[in-house]
Each structure stands twice: as structure tokens, then as C-alpha cells.
Amino acid sequence: MRNLLTLLLLLIVLGCNAFPQPSDDNKLLNSNTDGNNPSHNTSVLSKKQWAHGAENCDGNQDPILDIYQHTLDTFIIRQNKCLTYEAPFIYILIGKERILVIDTGAIEKAEEFSLHAQIKSAIGLMHQDKKWLVIHTHSHRDHTAGDQAFSAQSKVKLVGTKATDIQEFFGFQSWPNEIAHVELGERKVTIIPTPGHQEEAISIYDPTTQWLLTGDSLYPGKIYIKNWQAYNTSIRRLLDFSNQHVIKAILGAHIEMTNQPGRDYPIGTQYQPNEHPLDLSVSDLHKLNFTLEKYQEEAPDNALVFDNFIVEPMGFFQRTMSDIFRFFNT
């Protein structure tokens, strides 16, 4: 019942359309900015299919975490879609001195499950003596629910999600108009402010993999925008950054698109057998920025539908509900 009530509330708050139609602007953009315009990009990941739920979740035997090891010091985790339809992704970047955990997912610590213990087991004995740093792409519950598993650990620094927590830890003096860095030990990652979806949202660039990790600011799904002008500026900031750095892939926090251009799965879906790859590309970032430049002063009336993602401004009621949730979570 609790899950049903949550889903009903989300349906009301988000006003979700399962299959929005592309606007004329986006048809023109997708046909003219890329010569061949494939429906999705070739993945840089060797993992070609993630655990994607089940038609009958009562019989689902998938583990709580689908763990992908990209290299000895880089991991991506997806949470079980039958346990949380959000199925958020968690990223683990390991340096010579510290283990960086980006987001803690939607599953709370339970007696039989600890995200910290699961990650510790996955990364192996060679990293057991290192310190841990846990940060979040933003403060929404599906990215912070696992925090409890880390809060009591002696070697873990868990960075809070309030504006003061983020600005103090990363040393921002002029948020969001500057970037910051975190040294993991011969692996220095860049922290880029990207408010818009949520006020304290950040993206992370890892020069080792040349990945840009964008949380809910850009991913293959329906991206709800709370502050349209802030989001415009954030995407331009990411584009400017991409012009100065090599980016092999843009990796977000969810997969909600199908493998058909412009088509997403309805909210609450727990079975996605034909889903889009996790990767987006810098080409997608260019297309998004190109379209957003047409709406610098005012958000569009309808969702902007691209082949690989959808951007939709929140309405007044949605923003109000977001403010209420943010008030009680900070």
C-alpha cells in the first residue's frame, strides 16, 4: 500500500505522459545537427545489458545490486528494479588514497543489506585500507537512502546534501559559478555545479575514465526541471567544460528511455527489457544546449523530446511539492 500511495503521488506530482511527441524544433534539431542520428550511442561499457526488472517481480531472482567492474578501480552499480522502480546507478571511483562513492541509491540500510558492506566486498581486499568519501549528485531520496550504511563507519566521510554542506566541503566561494576538485590519490575528479533539476545538483568529471557523471541533470530518461534558467546555465557550463576536456561518455543516474527514439517507459515501470544504453554522448549535450538557447527567458509549454532523453519543465504544483519535500529532507 505504501508503494502504491507513493506511486500515485508521483503520478500526480509529475503529471507524466508515457509517450510525449517531439516538437517541431526537436525534429529539426535531430535531423540537422547529426548526419546519421542513431537512436542511441555505442556504449563505452563492456556490459551490454543491465538487470532490468521482471514481468512478475514476486518471482524475481536478481541480486539487490547489479555490479559492473569497468576496471580494477572503477565500478558501476544498479539497484534492483523490482525493489525500486527508480533503479538508480551508483558510481565507485578508487584512487591511491580514497574510495569515492557517488550516490547511495534508493534502498535503505536493512538488517540483511548494507550498501557499504556490498561495495566493500565487491572492490576486493586490495582497497580495504583506504578511506571512503561519499557524495551525492543531488539530495533526492532515491540518491541518498543508503546513507545510513556509511554514517557509522570510521573511515568514511559522508558529505551532507544541504547547500552549506556542499559549499563548505568542496570549498565553493561563488556557487554555482566555479568548479572544485577532489583528490583521491593520483586521481583528481572535478566537481561541476549543475543546479536546475534540483538546487544543489552537481556533476562529476573523472579524467581517468574520461566520464562525465551527471546524475539527474542529463540521462536517458525524462528529466524534470525545477529551475529552467538555472538548468539552461548548467547545460551551457557542461558544454563549455566539454570543449576543454575529452569526454568519452556522459553517464547519468537512471535509464528510463526505451531503445526507440523519443520513447520512455511510464513512471513506475519495473520491467524494461528493451531499454536504452546508460551512455549519452557530447553530441547529445550539444543538441540539448542548441535547443535550450531558444528558451533562455521562458520554459517551453511542453516537454522537449530528443531521441535519447526528454526534458520537461515542472509546473507550479510540481515545484511546490518539490519545495515541500526539500524542506522536510534538509
Side-chain angles (χ1 to χ4, degrees), residues 125-192:
L125 293 174
M126 63 184 296
H127 301 301
Q128 296 299 313
D129 294 330
K130 295 176 181 178
K131 296 180 180 180
W132 294 59
L133 173 62
V134 181
I135 65 175
H136 311 85
T137 56
H138 60 295
S139 65
H140 290 164
R141 188 63 179 165
D142 55 315
H143 300 267
T144 65
D147 282 6
Q148 265 193 322
F150 297 90
S151 59
Q153 303 297 326
S154 59
K155 290 185 178 181
V156 174
K157 170 62 179 178
L158 175 64
V159 180
T161 58
K162 296 180 182 179
T164 52
D165 297 328
I166 295 166
Q167 294 176 30
E168 288 176 8
F169 179 80
F170 293 116
F172 288 114
Q173 299 297 317
S174 181
W175 172 277
N177 300 313
E178 59 181 323
I179 62 174
H181 298 91
V182 174
E183 179 58 69
L184 306 178
E186 298 182 25
R187 189 174 192 173
K188 182 187 287 188
V189 299
T190 303
I191 309 299
I192 309 167

Side-chain angles (χ1 to χ4, degrees), residues 38 110-111 131 137 232 247 262 320 322 326:
E111 185 176 340
K131 296 180 180 180
T137 56
N232 247 307
I247 296 175
T320 301
S322 176
R326 183 168 179 258

Side-chain angles (χ1 to χ4, degrees), residues 283-296:
S283 174
D284 291 302
L285 187 60
H286 277 273
K287 291 174 182 178
L288 175 57
N289 183 73
F290 178 84
T291 300
L292 291 180
E293 286 182 345
K294 303 176 183 180
Y295 301 97
Q296 291 187 20

Side-chain angles (χ1 to χ4, degrees), residues 237-249:
R237 185 178 297 116
L238 290 179
L239 185 62
D240 290 343
F241 185 89
S242 75
N243 289 333
Q244 301 172 32
H245 300 80
V246 177
I247 296 175
K248 289 184 177 179

Side-chain angles (χ1 to χ4, degrees), residues 109-126:
K109 180 182 178 182
E111 185 176 340
E112 68 281 4
F113 172 76
S114 164
L115 181 60
H116 175 265
Q118 293 275 335
I119 294 174
K120 190 175 181 180
S121 174
I123 64 178
L125 293 174
M126 63 184 296

Side-chain angles (χ1 to χ4, degrees), residues 3 27 42 60 66 89 105 114 188 201 222 224 257 285 310:
N3 289 339
K27 289 178 182 177
T42 302
N60 181 252
D66 185 6
F89 286 87
S114 164
K188 182 187 287 188
K222 182 176 283 188
Y224 291 95
M257 300 299 285
L285 187 60
I310 299 167

